């Protein structure tokens, strides 16, 4: 059976949703094994076992996480060789993609990013050019290294698996051009993270500085808040909320776009959402070309009505 190595970065007290998606996918393709950087709690160990991971690789040296992606890539490459992995799966963040690229160079292996599905033969389905085309691609050199978009896999129900066996991997520590010297935790918003959320409510220049209606609807739906670049550039919301070509790529089940025109660079980050609902007062806004449901109206009227109705039905 193929060994499929899943890279997990600093899980904290629990595995992230994307980690569980990757483990589920690895289990569908073969036998999941894990390369885990950072601390391993008993809870995470049990969760890994419950998602089918029999063996867990950790670095034999400390401090690799402080060397930015260079240290992480050195570890993952060493773990892939130690595990004799047939394929390596990572998440699809910018950092994970850079780690994948560096591992590809170290192992002389092909890398495919932005996967939305992976077949038993490790052929990959990708959605490209802002979702206008679906492409099937395969790695032809070395073990495939694949980064997988969040929400591409339905997480399997955890089983009563045993605690994975921990194996230490020797890693040649790379010379550091830069080193992390301090970390500070971002205050928890109580909302799901944008990368992982099943529902995203995003606002653009049309919110005119007030993200209140966007946040209220996101909270009523249990979703995350996103934004167009016009909104983040205006300073109305943090840059980490930007969705699009130069922002985050999201693939939620539901994407509500409010006061966003739907420029190609914005579509590039959200077009693979399962259902797109657009609210815009301009009936000719390009966003309506890709929306499953379109509401022509003022978001300051439409969104509060939707929020009130959802909250009424919930109570
Ligand atoms: C290299 C490059 C990379 C880029 N990367 C990104 C990216 O990652 N993400 C991104 O978003 N953009 C990106 N952009 C910018 C992109 O081209 C657009 O300029 C941007 O997406 C526009 O944001 P917007 O739709 O919020 O604003 P606008 O284009 O100004 O649209 C605002 C919309 O809101 C509507 N509206 C106004 N008031 C209301 C109201 N009260 N109720 C309802 N609707 C209302 C208007 O009808 C309009 O359609 C990039 C551009 C370049 C050149």
């Amino acid at each position: 059976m193929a060994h499929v190595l899943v890279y997990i970065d600093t899980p904290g007290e629990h595995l992230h949703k994307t980690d569980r998606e990757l483990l589920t996918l690895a289990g569908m393709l073969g036998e999941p094994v894990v390369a885990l950087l950072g601390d391993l709690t008993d809870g995470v160990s049990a969760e890994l076992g419950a998602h089918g991971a029999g063996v867990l690789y950790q670095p034999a040296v400390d401090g690799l996480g402080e060397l930015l992606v260079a240290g992480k890539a050195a570890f993952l490459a060493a773990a892939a060789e130690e595990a004799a992995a047939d394929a390596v799966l990572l998440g699809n963040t910018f950092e994970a993609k850079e780690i994948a690229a560096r591992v590809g160079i170290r192992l002389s292996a092909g890398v495919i990013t932005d996967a939305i599905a992976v077949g038993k033969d490790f052929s990959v389905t990708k959605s490209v050019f802002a979702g206008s085309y679906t492409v099937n691609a395969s790695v032809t050199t070395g073990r495939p290294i694949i980064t997988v978009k969040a929400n591409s896999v339905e997480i399997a129900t955890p089983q009563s698996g045993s605690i994975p066996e921990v194996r230490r991997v020797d890693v040649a520590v790379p010379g550091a051009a830069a080193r992390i010297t301090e970390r500070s935790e971002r205050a928890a918003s109580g909302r799901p993270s944008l990368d992982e959320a099943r529902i995203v409510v995003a606002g653009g220049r049309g919110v005119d500085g007030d993200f209140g209606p966007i946040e209220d609807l996101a909270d009523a739906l249990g979703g995350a808040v996103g934004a167009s670049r016009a909104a983040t550039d205006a300073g109305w919301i943090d840059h980490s909320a930007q969705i699009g070509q130069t922002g985050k790529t999201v693939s939620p089940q539901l994407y509500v776009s409010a006061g966003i025109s739907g420029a190609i660079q914005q579509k590039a980050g959200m077009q693979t959402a399962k259902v797109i609902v657009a609210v815009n007062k301009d009936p000719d806004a390009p966003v309506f070309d890709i929306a499953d449901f379109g509401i022509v109206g003022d978001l300051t009227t439409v969104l509060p009505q939707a929020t009130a109705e959802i909250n009424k039905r919930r109570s």
Side-chain angles (χ1 to χ4, degrees):
M1 194 185 250
H3 283 176
V4 181
L5 183 68
V6 173
Y7 176 68
I8 294 180
D9 198 328
T10 52
E13 292 299 315
H14 294 283
L15 290 177
H16 297 291
K17 181 169 165 282
T18 43
D19 298 332
R20 287 182 280 129
E21 289 173 2
L22 291 178
L23 287 166
T24 300
L25 179 57
M28 288 156 59
L29 301 173
E31 193 176 318
V33 287
V34 168
L36 185 138
L37 198 88
D39 295 333
L40 174 66
T41 62
D42 289 347
V44 167
S45 187
E47 284 181 72
L48 289 170
H51 284 284
V55 181
L56 172 66
Y57 295 89
Q58 287 204 283
V61 286
D62 291 332
L64 286 173
E66 267 133 51
L67 305 181
L68 304 174
V69 288
K72 298 177 181 188
F75 162 55
L76 182 56
E81 290 196 303
E82 186 77 19
D86 296 286
V88 180
L89 302 181
L90 301 92
N92 204 53
T93 60
F94 284 126
E95 182 179 271
K97 289 185 201 178
E98 191 179 340
I99 295 170
R102 287 171 183 256
V103 172
I105 290 166
R106 281 175 174 268
L107 300 180
S108 298
V111 176
I112 302 179
T113 58
D114 300 331
I116 54 171
V118 183
K120 281 260 181 207
D121 58 353
F122 302 124
S123 60
V124 172
T125 307
K126 288 170 62 115
S127 172
V128 299
F129 292 137
S132 333
Y133 291 88
T134 300
V135 166
N136 291 316
S138 293
V139 164
T140 53
T141 306
R143 45 174 69 96
I145 298 165
I146 302 165
T147 73
V148 184
K149 279 188 172 183
N151 295 311
S152 300
V153 181
E154 202 63 47
I155 296 170
T157 311
Q159 306 294 316
S160 52
S162 50
I163 300 290
E165 174 198 338
V166 177
R167 295 186 192 163
R168 299 280 164 189
V169 183
D170 286 326
V171 185
V173 179
R179 183 182 289 274
I180 295 169
T181 55
E182 197 181 322
R183 284 187 171 87
S184 58
E185 206 170 332
R186 195 161 29 142
S189 69
R191 298 190 181 105
S193 86
L194 195 50
D195 310 280
E196 299 183 348
R198 290 173 67 82
I199 297 174
V200 173
V201 183
R205 205 192 307 268
V207 307
D208 199 19
D210 180 11
F211 262 74
I214 306 285
E215 290 175 340
D216 290 346
L217 181 58
D219 289 342
L221 292 167
V225 172
S228 73
R229 183 155 138 183
T232 59
D233 280 355
W236 299 337
I237 186 165
D238 193 79
H239 278 288
S240 59
Q242 185 186 317
I243 291 166
Q245 184 187 324
T246 42
K248 289 191 171 137
T249 305
V250 296
S251 299
Q253 302 293 315
L254 171 64
Y255 186 89
V256 181
S257 161
I260 299 178
S261 56
I264 184 79
Q265 296 89 354
Q266 155 73 198
K267 285 181 191 168
M270 46 66 84
Q271 192 150 6
T272 52
K274 299 279 185 305
V275 176
I276 297 170
V277 177
V279 182
N280 196 304
K281 64 183 186 185
D282 173 7
D284 297 323
V287 70
F288 289 127
D289 296 342
I290 56 158
D292 298 284
F293 299 96
I295 301 159
V296 178
D298 190 321
L299 70 90
T300 58
T301 315
V302 175
L303 264 49
Q305 283 179 44
T307 305
E309 186 63 25
I310 292 163
N311 287 336
K312 192 173 96 191
R313 288 178 187 226
R314 283 254 163 86
S315 62

